[in-house]
Amino acid sequence: MTAVTHLSGYRLMWILVMFDLPTDTKKQRHDAGAFRNFLLDEGFERSQFSVYARFVNGKEAFATRVNRIERNLPDAGDVQILNFTDRQYRDIVHFSDQGRRKARENPQQLVLF
């Protein structure tokens, strides 16, 4: 018989990557675009123009993603990486077009053993 286990909203984590990259020269614009494409290829979704988010399963996976991002940083600019639990992510207050948006509905997370 297969046991079904619900994962804790406190173990599941999100990574938020925020960046401000220079775009004055052709190379800087290329580097900024390459960094955005890298994040998309790594499974991040765009939340705002320079803010990308991705779900990960725990602190070890977070550390792995941070290392991969570090190896792909552009030559110039600022990049900040935050992590928070799935539970905290659910409580984000989001305003759009001067109105409050409903809290994001995360899918139910299951692991089958």
Side-chain angles (χ1 to χ4, degrees):
M1 181 176 198
T2 303
V4 176
T5 304
H6 291 275
L7 297 176
S8 167
Y10 294 102
R11 169 143 170 73
L12 303 175
M13 307 195 74
W14 285 87
I15 301 174
L16 193 69
V17 178
M18 304 177 297
F19 54 91
D20 186 15
L21 304 177
T23 56
D24 298 328
T25 67
K26 186 174 182 177
K27 181 182 181 332
Q28 288 174 336
R29 286 188 295 276
H30 175 269
D31 290 350
F35 186 67
R36 282 188 196 90
N37 288 333
F38 163 76
L39 291 174
L40 293 171
D41 290 344
E42 288 291 308
F44 285 83
E45 64 181 43
R46 186 174 132 179
S47 179
Q48 293 183 10
F49 186 68
S50 294
V51 179
Y52 287 71
R54 185 183 196 286
F55 174 82
V56 292
N57 186 11
K59 291 182 180 185
E60 298 82 16
F62 171 76
T64 298
R65 291 289 166 196
V66 169
N67 289 335
R68 290 180 60 80
I69 291 167
E70 185 176 13
R71 289 193 308 267
N72 288 277
L73 289 173
D75 293 334
D78 292 317
V79 177
Q80 297 178 20
I81 302 172
L82 304 172
N83 73 320
F84 42 90
T85 66
D86 191 49
R87 193 92 171 145
Q88 291 168 319
Y89 185 73
R90 186 185 69 194
D91 293 338
I92 291 174
V93 177
H94 182 171
F95 293 94
S96 181
D97 297 327
Q98 291 74 36
R100 190 177 193 141
R101 295 185 89 184
K102 282 184 66 171
R104 184 177 202 162
E105 293 290 328
N106 291 335
Q108 293 295 324
Q109 305 292 328
L110 294 176
V111 173
L112 302 175
F113 291 101

